[in-house]
Amino acid sequence: MAFAREYINLDDIKHQSEMLNVISHLLDRQIEMGDEIEKQKETISKLEDDIRKDKRWNMLWQNSLDDSITKTQISVFVVGFINIIFAYLIGN
């Protein structure tokens, strides 16, 4: 009976319902975007870890390569020196 006595504006109720639906949709979208941001943060973190691992590997590889170059240079120097000595001895 109370409803019958008071004026109920159905257009206002419809408008409020539509607004609630819009707000609900926006909240759902905000949650989805938050999830996407978290996934992107995880991907970035994994990529940063991969970069750190690659840098470590490259440093190890560079050190190994430097050692190999040094050993090769010493070997070439020794072989060249021995070659010069043999050439001198054979020439005399």
Side-chain angles (χ1 to χ4, degrees), residues 67-79:
D67 291 343
S68 295
I69 289 172
T70 302
K71 290 176 183 175
T72 303
Q73 287 174 339
I74 291 171
S75 299
V76 168
F77 177 74
V78 169
V79 169

Side-chain angles (χ1 to χ4, degrees), residues 28-76:
D28 289 343
R29 185 66 184 134
Q30 184 180 12
I31 290 171
E32 289 174 3
M33 290 175 69
D35 291 343
E36 289 176 14
I37 289 171
E38 287 300 317
K39 288 178 184 177
Q40 289 177 354
K41 285 181 180 179
E42 288 175 9
T43 302
I44 290 170
S45 176
K46 289 178 184 177
L47 289 173
E48 287 173 343
D49 289 343
D50 288 345
I51 289 170
R52 283 188 208 103
K53 289 176 186 175
D54 284 347
K55 282 183 179 180
R56 275 189 244 131
W57 174 251
N58 287 340
M59 286 173 46
L60 291 172
W61 179 253
Q62 181 69 34
N63 290 340
S64 175
L65 190 60
D66 289 342
D67 291 343
S68 295
I69 289 172
T70 302
K71 290 176 183 175
T72 303
Q73 287 174 339
I74 291 171
S75 299
V76 168

